[in-house]
Amino acid sequence: MLDRIDRQILAYLQEDGRMTNVELADRVGLTAPPCLRRVRALEQAGVIRGYHADCDPAQLGFPITVFAMVSLRSQAEADLAAFEAHVAALPEVRECHMLNGEIDFVLKIVATDLESFQRFLTTHLTTAPNVASVKSSLTIRSAKSASGVPIVD
């Protein structure tokens, strides 16, 4: 069970994962050693899954973001797992979420341009085993992109 200090630690680290332990400890009202112990415990428990840099895709040559809604012919567990394994191996697919309802998966895909997305779509996605249909929507702009989850006290 997370207490108030654990939730504060998580909120601060979601905001700035590069914060030093000393700065984090000061913000949550602890000394450095117990703060570090709490952070390590949160990591070991799997609450903190990792740390990463939030990079601008456009500045790295990927100005195109597309959301693809994928329907499969079969929803048998083996077929779902096979599709998940297929997209896990595709670096352009940045996120894959299984849904309930008419659409089986929604994928977040990045591309260098529309031509490369079209090529990706026709060579890696629509031709994948068990794929019945793919509907895609090109992102015009992003109004919000927040990582993590809201931390409430």
Side-chain angles (χ1 to χ4, degrees):
M1 189 70 166
L2 301 177
D3 65 13
R4 182 184 57 77
I5 292 175
D6 288 335
R7 288 191 298 275
Q8 285 179 326
I9 287 171
L10 293 170
Y12 285 124
L13 287 177
Q14 277 189 162
E15 210 174 274
D16 180 6
R18 292 185 58 158
M19 180 181 303
T20 68
N21 183 59
V22 171
E23 184 180 351
L24 179 60
D26 184 55
R27 288 190 184 186
V28 300
L30 294 174
T31 59
C35 183
L36 185 58
R37 280 193 296 276
R38 282 176 176 259
V39 170
R40 296 288 184 248
L42 291 166
E43 291 170 346
Q44 288 204 323
V47 176
I48 296 175
R49 297 186 299 190
Y51 302 89
H52 71 279
D54 184 11
C55 301
D56 183 341
Q59 290 193 40
L60 294 171
F62 293 91
I64 305 295
T65 299
V66 178
F67 288 91
M69 287 65 71
V70 180
S71 295
L72 303 181
R73 288 185 190 90
S74 164
Q75 289 74 33
E77 188 56 42
D79 294 322
L80 296 170
F83 179 77
E84 290 170 339
H86 175 75
V87 298
L90 301 172
E92 298 89 347
V93 176
R94 305 313 300 164
E95 295 180 28
C96 173
H97 304 275
M98 189 169 93
L99 307 176
N100 90 348
E102 290 180 41
I103 304 298
D104 295 307
F105 290 92
V106 63
L107 309 178
K108 180 180 177 183
I109 302 165
V110 296
T112 56
D113 54 37
L114 289 175
E115 184 179 324
S116 69
F117 170 70
Q118 170 103 26
R119 194 168 41 257
F120 172 83
L121 184 66
T122 58
T123 61
H124 295 295
L125 204 50
T126 58
T127 58
N130 196 35
V131 170
S133 70
V134 177
K135 296 177 184 174
S136 60
S137 293
L138 178 69
T139 300
I140 302 298
R141 70 175 172 230
S142 295
K144 182 176 181 179
S145 179
S147 62
V149 297
I151 307 288
V152 291
D153 227 357

